[in-house]
């Protein structure tokens, strides 16, 4: 303002005074006015005691709803009574009160009520579902030592049920092993049906390829369960080799053969040679323990993603094949879910039968339904692809399979070695390592996660198994069957003996071809529906994490926010506004809102340790335009001192190795200056 020719600075109005009610505590000297426009009381200001009590009771009523909801949902499913629910509510309220005090006093220091979280519901329901299979004397879990029975006026200790037998009965073991054989048979038939016709093979060739794959799968399964990983994993044909095998088939398409049969045999010999040479990759990785050392770098987060992606292949195989014959595949999917997950709960006697053998019942039921549709002529006027997928008489395996045939080394002829084929198969051998499947199998079998030396051993024997595949004429290499690991979770039976019995079935049906061809004639959409269900059990580890919408939003939002044009859109993302609040001294209000009560802040460690080994050094070449060394020394010293003190003021601590190394700053050594700084603080 200009008055009488003089310039005067503008007179600023006094800051607005925030009047607080009687009995309220004084807030910060400079409250964040932009945040108080809609607030009656901020984090530092307290209402009167009467208002505080009523407002606090209001917060209690709001959080009480979540407590009652969760207890009402969970306690009855756990077998608890109304009294148990009341006691659970009391326990949750007690811990919520403690947690709320902990957070508001020395935790976040924000006015947040710490109550029960709905994010834990899925995990708790999983525990409840897992314990449904166990036998209890009543709906309430009782302590055995506290139970007494009164009979004729005398107290008798309770009669305890005998412990569960360690080994399954022989009949159950046989049926469970046969169930594992049926599950892995689907992959064998799918791979043979896809590859053999493109190689020029006939229906008889497909039957003999299936026999060879079953034979080598039985040998590899026994090898792994006896001296390999020792986990209950079925070693079956791997879909990871399909691309390499198709490349070999495509490469040999240009060559001239006298007949399609000759082309088939030549292609099988080329596949044999590639499998034999590439098997040494896994043997070297395994028996040198290089793979085990590498897996030691895996964290649980990596294993979860690894297992998840491993199981995703079942969806890729299942749903496209199921869609080729919906009238068979969809009923199989629905029946399996309903029978195995719901109908088993109708009666306690039916529970173990349907849980363990429900898959066999569903296969028999839907297979009979498919046979009826075939006989009734439902597929007489449909396309060739639909007939191939839906009819039960289109595999031609029963007509062409031999009654008895034993697989033998180099049954298709001498192996052919070609560098281009071998390198492609080496890549397949690398990606077919079954580490993720072994981790999942250990979880479902009740074993500890496999250590590094076990994984090395298992990968080495997987290489030996691939050598057997090439020697005995399998069409692809082997890997741990993902679908059979899912079956471990479906049946809750992680017995190694069951899997060994399934290997015996593989060897038996590989020799007696007619019997094996009968079960191999099951329509492929039935197997596809099985894979869709088994993946859900295989991937149950992720259900808890990704069933939470806030968690999914946080993960997706964080990834996208930090990867999509993150640097150029820094201001649009609010990073400039957000950044000061992420540091202790970035905003003056951080200390006001989040400091500890009762002067606890003064005793909490806050400074990081910074060790200065080389305090300063300068040379005559870097004089910065100064004429003499003394002036240069003073300049360097003051610059270094300013830098060190700025570190101290921002929370860092500088230590000097000796008194000689401490430069002079404002008439005192820098060590003394830093000590004075800390004393002043």
């Amino acid at each position: 303002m200009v008055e009488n020719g003089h310039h005067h600075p503008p007179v600023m109005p006094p800051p607005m005074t925030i009047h607080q009610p009687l009995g309220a505590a004084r807030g910060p000297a400079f409250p964040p006015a932009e945040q108080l426009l809609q607030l009656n009381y901020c984090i530092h200001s307290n209402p009167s005691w009467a208002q505080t009590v009523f407002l606090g009771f209001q917060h209690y009523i709001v959080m009480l709803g979540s407590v009652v909801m969760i207890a009402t949902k969970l306690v009855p499913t756990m077998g608890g009574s109304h009294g148990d629910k009341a006691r659970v509510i009391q326990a949750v309220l007690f811990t919520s009160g403690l947690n709320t005090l902990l957070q508001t006093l020395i935790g976040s220091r924000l006015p947040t009520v710490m109550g029960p979280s709905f994010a834990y519901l899925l995990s708790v329901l999983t525990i409840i579902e897992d314990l449904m299979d166990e036998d209890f004397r009543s709906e309430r879990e009782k302590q055995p030592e506290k139970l007494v029975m009164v009979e004729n006026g005398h107290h008798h200790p309770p009669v305890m049920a005998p412990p569960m037998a360690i080994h399954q009965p022989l009949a159950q073991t046989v049926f469970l092993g046969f169930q594992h054989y049926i599950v892995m048979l689907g992959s064998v038939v799918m791979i043979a049906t896809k590859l053999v016709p493109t190689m020029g093979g006939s229906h008889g060739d497909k039957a003999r390829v299936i026999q060879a794959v079953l034979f080598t799968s039985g040998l590899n399964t026994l090898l792994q369960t006896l001296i390999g990983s020792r986990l209950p994993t079925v070693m079956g044909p791997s879909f990871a080799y399909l691309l390499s095998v198709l490349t070999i088939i495509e490469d040999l398409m240009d060559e001239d053969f006298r007949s399609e049969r000759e082309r088939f045999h030549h292609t099988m010999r080329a596949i044999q040679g590639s499998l034999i040479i590439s098997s040494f990759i896994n043997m070297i990785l395994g028996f040198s323990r290089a793979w085990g050392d590498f897996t030691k770098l895996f964290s649980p987060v990596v294993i979860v993603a690894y297992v998840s992606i491993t199981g995703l292949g079942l969806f890729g195989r299942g749903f496209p094949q199921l869609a080729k014959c919906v009238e068979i595949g969809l009923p199989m999917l629905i029946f399996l879910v309903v029978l195995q997950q719901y109908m088993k709960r109708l009666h306690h006697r039916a529970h173990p039968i349907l849980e363990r053998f429900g898959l066999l019942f569903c296969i028999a039921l839907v297979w009979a339904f498919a046979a009826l549709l075939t006989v009734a002529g439902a597929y007489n006027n449909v396309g060739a692809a639909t007939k191939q997928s839906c009819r039960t008489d289109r595999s031609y395996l029963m007509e062409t399979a031999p009654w008895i045939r034993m697989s033998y080394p180099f049954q298709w002829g001498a192996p052919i070695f070609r560098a281009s084929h071998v390198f492609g198969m080496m890549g397949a051998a690398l990606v077919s390592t079954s580490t993720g499947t072994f981790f999942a199998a250990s979880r479902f079998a009740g074993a500890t996660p496999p250590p590094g030396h076990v994984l090395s051993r298992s990968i080495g024997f997987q290489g030996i198994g691939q050598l057997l595949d090439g020697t005995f004429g399998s069409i692809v290499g082997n890997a741990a069957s993902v679908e059979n690991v899912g079956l471990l979770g479906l049946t809750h039976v992680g017995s190694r003996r069951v899997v060994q019995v399934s290997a015996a079935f593989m060897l038996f049906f590989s020799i007696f071809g007619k019997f094996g061809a009968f079960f191999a004639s099951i329509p492929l959409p039935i197997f596809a529906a099985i894979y869709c269900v088994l993946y859900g059990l295989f991937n149950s580890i992720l259900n808890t994490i990704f069933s939470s919408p806030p968690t999914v939003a946080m993960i997706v939002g964080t990834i996208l926010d930090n990867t999509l044009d993150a640097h150029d859109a820094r201001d649009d993302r609010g990073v400039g506004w957000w950044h000061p609040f992420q540091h202790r001294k970035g905003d003056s209000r951080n200390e006001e809102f989040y400091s500890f009560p009762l002067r606890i802040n003064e005793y909490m460690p806050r400074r990081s340790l910074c060790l200065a080994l080389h305090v300063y050094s300068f040379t005559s070449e870097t004089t910065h335009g100064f004429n003499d060394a003394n002036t240069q020394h003073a300049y360097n010293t003051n610059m270094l001192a300013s830098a060190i003190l700025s570190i101290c003021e921002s929370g860092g601590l500088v230590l000097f190795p000796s008194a000689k190394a401490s430069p002079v700053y404002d008439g005192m050594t820098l060590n003394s200056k830093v000590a004075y700084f800390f004393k002043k603080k």
Side-chain angles (χ1 to χ4, degrees):
M1 294 189 301
V2 181
E3 185 176 343
N4 298 328
H6 299 283
H7 291 274
H8 300 281
V11 179
M12 300 300 294
M16 182 179 62
T17 303
I18 298 178
H19 298 283
Q20 298 179 350
L22 185 63
R26 182 173 62 85
F30 301 100
E34 71 277 7
Q35 299 181 19
L36 295 179
L37 298 178
Q38 304 297 328
L39 290 178
N40 293 320
Y41 301 98
C42 70
I43 191 172
H44 271 294
S45 56
N46 302 323
S48 63
W49 277 111
Q51 292 190 45
T52 300
V53 171
F54 279 105
L55 289 170
F57 181 73
Q58 194 169 243
H59 277 284
Y60 162 74
I61 290 296
V62 170
M63 71 86 58
L64 182 62
S66 298
V67 178
V68 177
M69 280 185 187
I70 292 176
T72 303
K73 181 176 181 63
L74 295 180
V75 173
T77 61
M78 299 161 60
S81 62
H82 296 297
D84 295 325
K85 184 172 76 172
R87 285 185 287 275
V88 166
I89 291 175
Q90 286 180 288
V92 175
L93 288 176
F94 180 76
T95 55
S96 298
L98 292 180
N99 293 330
T100 301
L101 289 176
L102 199 65
Q103 284 288 348
T104 55
L105 289 175
I106 58 176
S108 67
R109 296 282 291 152
L110 288 169
T112 52
V113 174
M114 305 300 295
S117 173
F118 284 86
Y120 292 88
L121 276 184
L122 184 58
S123 301
V124 175
L125 288 173
T126 304
I127 296 173
I128 296 172
E129 177 68 21
D130 189 37
L131 296 178
M132 284 288 188
D133 304 333
E134 300 190 10
D135 296 325
F136 298 101
R137 290 173 298 276
S138 66
E139 285 298 305
R140 296 187 61 194
E141 174 66 27
K142 298 183 176 69
Q143 295 293 333
E145 64 272 13
K146 294 182 180 179
L147 287 177
V148 294
M149 295 172 59
V150 181
E151 185 176 339
N152 298 327
H154 299 282
H155 292 273
H156 302 280
V159 179
M160 302 300 294
M164 183 181 296
I166 296 177
H167 300 291
Q168 292 284 337
L170 180 60
Q172 289 193 34
T173 301
V174 171
F175 279 106
L176 288 168
F178 180 72
Q179 195 167 235
H180 274 279
Y181 162 74
I182 289 294
V183 169
M184 71 84 56
L185 181 62
S187 297
V188 178
V189 177
M190 280 185 184
I191 290 176
T193 302
K194 182 177 181 64
L195 295 180
V196 172
T198 60
M199 298 162 61
S202 62
H203 297 297
D205 294 326
K206 184 172 75 170
R208 285 185 286 275
V209 166
I210 290 176
Q211 286 181 281
V213 175
L214 287 176
F215 183 77
T216 56
S217 297
L219 292 180
N220 293 331
T221 300
L222 289 176
L223 197 67
Q224 282 289 346
T225 55
L226 290 174
I227 57 177
S229 66
R230 299 282 292 156
L231 289 168
T233 51
V234 172
M235 303 300 293
S238 173
F239 283 83
Y241 291 86
L242 280 184
L243 183 59
S244 301
V245 174
L246 288 173
T247 302
I248 295 174
I249 296 172
E250 180 69 23
D251 189 33
L252 296 176
M253 282 287 188
D254 302 331
E255 300 189 11
D256 295 328
F257 299 99
R258 291 188 298 271
S259 64
E260 286 295 295
R261 184 174 180 79
E262 183 183 357
R263 184 166 70 90
F264 169 75
H265 280 268
H266 188 87
T267 307
M268 286 299 301
R269 292 166 57 195
I271 293 172
Q272 281 184 278
S274 301
L275 287 173
I276 290 173
I277 298 300
S278 61
S279 65
F280 291 96
I281 293 293
N282 284 343
M283 284 191 276
I284 293 173
L285 285 176
F287 295 128
S288 67
R289 295 201 171 185
W291 186 255
D293 294 336
F294 173 71
T295 56
K296 292 178 182 177
L297 302 176
F298 291 172
S299 67
V301 176
V302 176
I303 292 300
V304 167
Y306 193 6
V307 171
S308 168
I309 299 302
T310 301
L312 276 172
L314 291 181
F315 270 147
R317 283 179 253 162
F319 279 110
Q321 187 67 46
L322 184 150
K324 293 181 180 179
C325 189
V326 178
E327 58 268 29
I328 294 177
L330 190 59
M332 179 64 192
L333 179 63
I334 295 173
F335 287 164
L336 183 56
V337 172
V338 172
L339 190 68
Q340 213 278 339
Q341 298 295 324
Y342 294 98
M343 291 187 67
K344 69 179 183 180
R345 304 179 185 178
L346 296 180
H347 197 276
H348 68 279
R349 293 183 183 274
H351 188 280
I353 298 175
L354 294 180
E355 181 180 67
R356 297 173 189 176
F357 308 110
L359 180 61
L360 290 179
F361 294 143
C362 291
I363 291 176
L365 181 63
V366 179
W367 192 12
F369 174 67
L372 288 176
L373 291 178
T374 301
V375 173
Y379 303 113
N380 291 342
N381 300 316
V382 297
T386 304
K387 290 181 179 180
Q388 183 68 33
S389 299
C390 300
R391 293 183 67 96
T392 58
D393 57 357
R394 286 292 175 172
S395 63
Y396 300 105
L397 295 176
M398 287 293 296
E399 297 87 345
T400 57
W403 279 100
I404 299 177
R405 184 179 185 273
M406 184 79 174
S407 296
Y408 54 91
F410 309 120
Q411 58 181 322
W412 309 111
I416 298 175
F417 303 100
R418 185 178 292 184
S420 59
H421 299 165
V422 170
F423 282 111
M425 200 67 76
M426 284 182 177
L430 284 174
V431 302
S432 67
T433 54
S434 306
T435 305
T437 313
F438 289 142
F439 274 99
S442 66
R443 172 72 176 267
F444 288 131
T448 58
H453 72 279
V454 172
L455 291 174
S456 290
R457 187 178 67 201
S458 63
I459 297 303
F461 279 106
Q462 186 175 336
I464 293 179
Q466 185 172 332
L467 179 62
L468 294 176
D469 292 333
T471 303
F472 284 91
S474 176
I475 199 168
V476 292
N478 73 96
S481 172
V482 177
E483 51 267 31
N484 286 89
V485 173
L487 187 60
L488 297 179
L490 188 72
T491 60
H492 296 119
V493 176
S495 171
R496 187 188 298 119
R497 176 175 295 182
V498 168
V499 173
Q500 291 169 345
V501 169
S502 74
F505 277 111
M506 298 174 208
L507 296 175
F508 175 82
F509 287 117
S510 70
I511 298 173
F512 299 95
K514 289 292 186 184
F515 298 100
F518 174 73
F519 295 105
S521 301
I522 298 174
L524 292 181
I526 295 179
F527 291 113
I530 295 173
Y531 297 158
C532 295
V533 175
L534 292 182
Y535 172 71
L537 291 149
F538 180 84
N539 199 37
S540 61
I541 302 171
L542 292 181
N543 283 348
T544 299
I545 298 174
F546 289 99
S547 65
S548 171
T551 303
V552 175
M554 178 189 68
I555 295 174
V556 175
T558 302
I559 294 175
L560 296 179
D561 187 46
N562 288 275
T563 54
L564 295 178
D565 201 19
H567 179 72
D568 296 335
R570 189 174 185 274
D571 293 335
D572 295 336
R573 294 163 55 214
V575 175
W577 175 86
W578 182 256
H579 183 75
F581 300 104
Q582 295 178 312
H583 301 276
R584 180 187 297 273
K585 293 185 178 297
D587 190 275
S588 61
R589 294 167 289 187
N590 288 353
E591 287 289 335
E592 297 174 358
F593 296 151
Y594 300 107
S595 59
F596 296 110
L598 304 176
R599 301 180 65 181
I600 298 177
N601 211 52
E602 300 178 5
Y603 304 99
M604 297 296 292
R606 313 173 12 175
R607 299 179 174 89
S608 58
L609 186 63
C610 175
L611 180 62
L613 295 178
H614 303 284
V615 178
Y616 67 95
S617 63
F618 63 93
T619 60
S620 56
E621 286 80 11
T622 58
T623 58
H624 296 283
F626 294 101
N627 297 326
D628 55 355
N630 291 332
T631 308
Q632 175 65 48
H633 179 273
Y635 171 79
N636 286 342
T637 301
N638 281 287
M639 291 296 294
L640 177 64
S642 300
I644 292 176
L645 285 180
S646 65
I647 294 174
C648 294
E649 291 172 357
S650 62
L653 176 62
V654 182
L655 300 180
F656 298 99
S658 64
K660 293 181 179 180
S662 178
V664 177
Y665 181 77
D666 286 349
M668 63 173 67
T669 63
L670 197 56
N671 272 337
S672 303
K673 184 71 175 178
V674 173
Y676 174 75
F677 171 79
F678 282 124
K679 182 178 180 181
K680 182 175 66 174
K681 291 291 286 185

